[in-house]
Amino acid sequence: MPSTTAAQSRRQNPGSQSALRHRNQQRIVACLLNGPSTQAELARQTGLSTATVSNIVKTMVDGGLAATEPTTSSGRRALNVRLTGKGTVAVGVDFGRRHLRVVVASLGHRVLAEESVGLPLGHRAQEGIETAVALVDRLLAQSGLPRSAAVGAGVGIPGPIDRRTGTVAQGAILPEWVGINILQRLEDALKMPVFVDNDANLGALAEVTWGPHGRTDNLLFLKIGSGVGAGLIINGSPFYGNVGITGELGHATIHEHGLVCRCGNRGCLETVASTTTMLELLSRGEDPPRNAEDIVRNALAGDSATLRVVDDAGAAVGRALGNVANLINPEVIVVGGPLADLGDLLLDPIRRGLIRHAVPVVGESTRLTMSSLGDRAEALGATALVFQHTGIRAT
Amino acid sequence: MPSTTAAQSRRQNPGSQSALRHRNQQRIVACLLNGPSTQAELARQTGLSTATVSNIVKTMVDGGLAATEPTTSSGRRALNVRLTGKGTVAVGVDFGRRHLRVVVASLGHRVLAEESVGLPLGHRAQEGIETAVALVDRLLAQSGLPRSAAVGAGVGIPGPIDRRTGTVAQGAILPEWVGINILQRLEDALKMPVFVDNDANLGALAEVTWGPHGRTDNLLFLKIGSGVGAGLIINGSPFYGNVGITGELGHATIHEHGLVCRCGNRGCLETVASTTTMLELLSRGEDPPRNAEDIVRNALAGDSATLRVVDDAGAAVGRALGNVANLINPEVIVVGGPLADLGDLLLDPIRRGLIRHAVPVVGESTRLTMSSLGDRAEALGATALVFQHTGIRAT
């Protein structure tokens, strides 16, 4: 089911003339991506009035996004409109627990500007939003583009999004963000259409757009980080289910009477396999690791406690994935997140768990691989989300 | 992804002229369902040659499936073709471990004939197929229809179907059927296009076609019987994943070191919640139940051991469903199979388990209900499969 987040936002903010105008401009841009067109033809294709088309084209020409030249159509004088190539970038924003990454990308999958900055742990949503807006403006400026050059911004949040309300639902890695209508807040601040999604969903989308899995119909992207979450590509598109909360694999029950999880249940996969848990388990040793990078370094250096913790986490992840594979039988499972550099040290126990818990023909036929997009996956997926929602497809 | 089983069958059996002819006839039928049409128009719409169209129309008229009358088209004489309403039935066959049900249904969801017969436990596939063919012929005859009146037969098998080969994969409730190319065997015997699917998948399809869930985009049908299996409707269509084996919820791990399952793993949901397991657990009591009907009767009569076994099975099913809901967030979960008459005695513990193991917003928003189609769900779904594959949609 196509997401209706943007449509919901329109409903919630019916008075936003600038958003409406931007949306109409996108429809015109989408038409022009097929080649130059007359204003009359644009009106016919978009269903907009000729006055609206003429108005928007004028603004686009003034902003350098489009150019016009006289022509004749059916023997009458007309104005031919073409894109200058400036108005077809998308902004991707990836919010983490302590970082923020922004990407400005053109149609055709070229990154024009990109930067990642730190965020204080436990920051409030408003703080994160302000930092994001400043960074978006800076990167657009670096690329020599005005804000209006962006068709929209995709935003990844490390938590479930309730698509009925557009708010961050309980269970987010950022508890300070729960209940915030992130969509509305960002749209007000960025003054462009905003599309919000869960970070793991964007990772999945990135794998089939920016990554090597473009021909894969059914893919699961598993992000192992401070939390554990998955994004689903089903029949070639991100899958959102009923209320928008899918891929909550971090809360699959692994031990019925295990540790209490932040979601309120017990023994969830996250209580066994997140980097948070791994750091806690390793905190009793000498010179304990402080972050995921330390875990990777120590494991690659052969530290036995780290190797054991990684192996146990992988086996638990594999068990959960075995049940997932039995249910939806994906072609590919891609593992991403800050532990990706562990390579086979993490993939091997995951594969073992998967084979052990999936029915044989499913286990054997499911491809398991590490993400090649690293920590850029979510922000890149966020730009793909914009192109997807605005009907502008990369070629 | 649309299933390609029928197409695969065509490839495996390229010389089957009668199947090809039947397929062409279906395309013509599909056109005529929109209303009468000239032969020239039928040729244009189907891409078939006018000679082929004329040939097939003649056979249809001879068989009483279509009628023709002279007309004029663009001032030229032409032949108008209309359906007599006879050529649009589908056959549904549901194979169980010890039963076989056949339904003959018309487009528009009317059952013309239906019968269920017993099959010996441990019967060979050939035996089941022969019984099915005889019953299909008998029911068609009862309805006053020749075999050629059927656009095809849908067939449900209680086991996973590997769509790459069209064979029953390991893990089937009918071990004697494993490795059999059921599609080919049935097509040879019935001499009509055959579409094979897992029984739980057909149950899911029945819920959104014959059942009350026609407007549901994402639904899971859980069949609790001798085995436990699920069928998925995703974005309005049956979902088959990569190799066709989805919804294998019976093999979700519930107890890491539980009983050994027929799939080779341990502690699968089936080892806790199938009627087979329930009957085994209750075999130690006085006057032990012999089948699912006995379990239902004893539970409704208030037998405490039966109630406890049902409750424990329900809780385990609910736990597995909690993980499923976290992953794909369906709107509705429908429980079917021979225990459906237990009603809330079974639904309550399932709901408890679901709420307990799903993330809160998912657990609260997932509707859980008993199937209203009873033991007819799979056979009805099988007829829907035929109409779906032949592009003929019920109105």
Side-chain angles (χ1 to χ4, degrees):
Chain A
M1 186 168 35
S3 153
T4 54
T5 310
Q8 280 167 353
S9 143
R10 293 293 101 62
R11 278 200 302 278
Q12 285 156 16
N13 188 14
S16 169
Q17 281 302 316
S18 77
L20 177 67
R21 190 191 175 83
H22 207 115
R23 162 94 14 174
N24 287 340
Q25 180 170 322
Q26 285 162 37
R27 289 161 69 185
I28 291 176
V29 167
C31 289
L32 291 173
L33 281 167
N34 297 321
S37 187
T38 64
Q39 293 200 107
E41 184 57 25
L42 287 173
R44 202 188 56 75
Q45 282 183 26
T46 58
L48 299 171
S49 73
T50 47
T52 303
V53 169
S54 155
N55 235 317
I56 289 173
V57 166
K58 185 173 182 313
T59 320
M60 288 175 70
V61 170
D62 290 349
L65 308 180
T68 57
E69 49 198 21
T71 182
T72 53
S73 172
S74 310
R76 300 171 62 179
R77 284 200 300 184
L79 210 52
N80 213 31
V81 188
R82 65 176 171 82
L83 290 179
T84 58
K86 273 178 90 181
T88 53
V89 302
V91 172
V93 181
D94 171 40
F95 282 106
R97 206 164 57 127
R98 17 174 150 202
H99 80 275
L100 164 71
R101 177 182 296 265
V102 175
V103 166
V104 175
S106 73
L107 199 70
H109 297 145
R110 200 158 64 82
V111 172
L112 305 178
E114 177 172 9
E115 195 171 324
S116 178
V117 299
L119 282 177
L121 193 61
H123 67 274
R124 284 169 306 116
Q126 191 53 35
E127 213 174 328
I129 290 170
E130 282 164 14
T131 312
V133 172
L135 187 51
V136 167
D137 278 342
R138 182 142 54 81
L139 293 183
L140 283 171
Q142 266 180 31
S143 315
L145 298 167
R147 250 194 212 180
S148 63
V151 289
V155 178
I157 305 285
I161 317 279
D162 189 329
R163 296 184 100 78
R164 295 169 300 183
T165 57
T167 57
V168 180
Q170 215 170 3
I173 280 288
L174 299 163
E176 298 80 8
W177 286 50
V178 171
I180 302 270
N181 190 320
I182 182 74
L183 187 73
Q184 194 61 65
R185 298 276 282 273
L186 275 163
E187 219 162 56
D188 289 347
L190 283 170
K191 296 186 177 55
M192 62 177 78
V194 170
F195 308 92
V196 177
D197 210 332
N198 169 268
D199 58 350
N201 289 350
L202 295 182
L205 184 57
E207 295 294 334
V208 296
T209 48
W210 291 84
H213 302 288
R215 284 157 181 264
T216 304
D217 283 320
N218 302 302
L219 173 147
L220 182 135
F221 176 84
L222 181 74
K223 183 176 181 178
I224 307 177
S226 318
V228 175
L232 295 175
I233 299 293
I234 297 285
N235 294 334
S237 298
F239 181 68
Y240 297 107
N242 181 20
V243 305
I245 301 179
T246 52
E248 287 295 317
L249 203 61
H251 304 289
T253 307
I254 296 292
H255 301 303
E256 177 82 37
H257 300 287
L259 296 177
V260 169
C261 180
R262 63 194 167 82
C263 74
N265 286 336
R266 292 185 68 174
C268 296
L269 181 59
E270 265 194 25
T271 67
V272 184
S274 65
T275 56
T276 315
T277 301
M278 295 164 97
L279 290 171
E280 207 175 289
L281 282 170
L282 290 164
S283 68
R284 285 162 192 83
E286 221 177 295
D287 190 16
R290 286 153 311 157
N291 51 38
E293 292 72 43
D294 288 351
I295 294 177
V296 172
R297 203 185 43 247
N298 293 352
L300 293 177
D303 178 68
S304 59
T306 309
L307 286 170
R308 171 63 192 263
V309 163
V310 166
D311 200 77
D312 287 347
V317 166
R319 171 174 162 183
L321 287 178
N323 288 338
V324 167
N326 280 348
L327 187 72
I328 58 168
N329 184 204
E331 288 152 79
V332 183
I333 294 174
V334 182
V335 178
L339 300 181
D341 288 338
L342 284 171
D344 286 341
L345 287 180
L346 182 58
L347 273 189
D348 282 348
I350 294 179
R351 188 175 288 113
R352 235 169 36 230
L354 171 67
I355 296 283
R356 184 181 169 91
H357 290 94
V359 297
V361 58
V362 169
E364 289 153 16
S365 61
T366 305
R367 202 144 60 82
L368 181 70
T369 176
M370 235 9 141
S371 171
S372 57
L373 299 173
D375 48 10
R376 306 170 69 204
E378 294 80 6
L380 294 176
T383 67
L385 187 71
V386 174
F387 290 131
Q388 189 183 57
H389 275 284
T390 52
I392 301 176
R393 297 219 166 270
T395 44
Chain B
M1 184 169 33
S3 151
T4 55
T5 309
Q8 281 167 352
S9 142
R10 291 293 102 61
R11 278 201 301 278
Q12 285 157 16
N13 188 12
S16 169
Q17 282 301 317
S18 78
L20 176 67
R21 189 191 175 85
H22 207 114
R23 163 92 17 174
N24 288 339
Q25 180 171 321
Q26 284 162 38
R27 288 160 72 185
I28 291 176
V29 167
C31 289
L32 291 174
L33 282 168
N34 297 322
S37 186
T38 64
Q39 294 200 101
E41 183 59 23
L42 287 173
R44 202 188 57 74
Q45 282 182 26
T46 57
L48 299 172
S49 73
T50 47
T52 302
V53 170
S54 155
N55 235 316
I56 289 173
V57 167
K58 183 170 183 316
T59 319
M60 288 174 70
V61 170
D62 289 348
L65 308 181
T68 57
E69 51 199 20
T71 182
T72 53
S73 173
S74 311
R76 300 170 62 181
R77 285 200 298 183
L79 211 51
N80 213 30
V81 188
R82 65 175 170 82
L83 291 179
T84 58
K86 274 179 89 180
T88 54
V89 303
V91 172
V93 181
D94 171 39
F95 282 106
R97 206 164 57 127
R98 17 175 151 202
H99 80 276
L100 163 72
R101 179 183 295 266
V102 174
V103 166
V104 175
S106 74
L107 199 69
H109 296 145
R110 201 159 63 81
V111 172
L112 305 179
E114 176 172 10
E115 195 171 325
S116 178
V117 299
L119 282 177
L121 192 63
H123 67 273
R124 285 168 307 114
Q126 190 53 35
E127 214 174 326
I129 290 171
E130 281 164 14
T131 312
V133 171
L135 188 50
V136 168
D137 278 342
R138 181 142 53 83
L139 293 183
L140 283 171
Q142 265 179 31
S143 314
L145 297 168
R147 249 193 212 181
S148 64
V151 288
V155 178
I157 305 285
I161 316 277
D162 189 329
R163 294 184 101 76
R164 296 170 299 185
T165 57
T167 56
V168 180
Q170 216 170 4
I173 280 286
L174 298 164
E176 297 79 8
W177 287 50
V178 170
I180 301 269
N181 191 320
I182 181 74
L183 187 74
Q184 193 62 65
R185 298 273 285 272
L186 275 163
E187 220 162 56
D188 289 348
L190 283 170
K191 296 189 178 53
M192 61 177 78
V194 170
F195 308 92
V196 176
D197 209 332
N198 170 269
D199 59 350
N201 289 350
L202 294 182
L205 184 57
E207 294 295 334
V208 297
T209 49
W210 290 85
H213 303 289
R215 285 158 180 262
T216 305
D217 283 320
N218 302 301
L219 174 147
L220 183 134
F221 176 86
L222 182 73
K223 182 175 182 178
I224 306 177
S226 317
V228 175
L232 295 175
I233 299 293
I234 297 285
N235 294 334
S237 298
F239 181 68
Y240 298 107
N242 181 21
V243 304
I245 301 177
T246 52
E248 287 294 318
L249 203 60
H251 303 288
T253 308
I254 295 292
H255 300 304
E256 177 83 36
H257 300 287
L259 295 177
V260 169
C261 180
R262 64 194 165 82
C263 74
N265 285 335
R266 293 186 68 174
C268 297
L269 179 60
E270 266 194 23
T271 67
V272 183
S274 65
T275 56
T276 315
T277 301
M278 296 163 96
L279 289 171
E280 206 175 290
L281 283 170
L282 291 165
S283 68
R284 286 162 194 80
E286 221 176 296
D287 189 18
R290 286 153 312 157
N291 50 39
E293 292 71 42
D294 288 352
I295 295 177
V296 172
R297 204 187 40 248
N298 294 351
L300 293 177
D303 177 70
S304 61
T306 308
L307 286 170
R308 171 63 192 264
V309 163
V310 166
D311 200 77
D312 288 348
V317 167
R319 171 174 163 183
L321 287 177
N323 289 337
V324 167
N326 280 346
L327 186 71
I328 58 168
N329 184 202
E331 288 150 82
V332 184
I333 294 174
V334 183
V335 178
L339 299 181
D341 288 338
L342 284 171
D344 285 342
L345 287 180
L346 182 57
L347 273 190
D348 281 348
I350 293 180
R351 189 175 287 114
R352 238 169 35 230
L354 172 66
I355 296 282
R356 183 180 168 95
H357 290 94
V359 297
V361 59
V362 170
E364 290 153 16
S365 62
T366 305
R367 201 144 61 82
L368 181 69
T369 177
M370 232 13 135
S371 172
S372 58
L373 299 174
D375 48 11
R376 305 171 69 203
E378 296 79 5
L380 294 176
T383 67
L385 188 71
V386 174
F387 291 130
Q388 188 183 56
H389 275 284
T390 52
I392 302 175
R393 297 215 168 272
T395 44

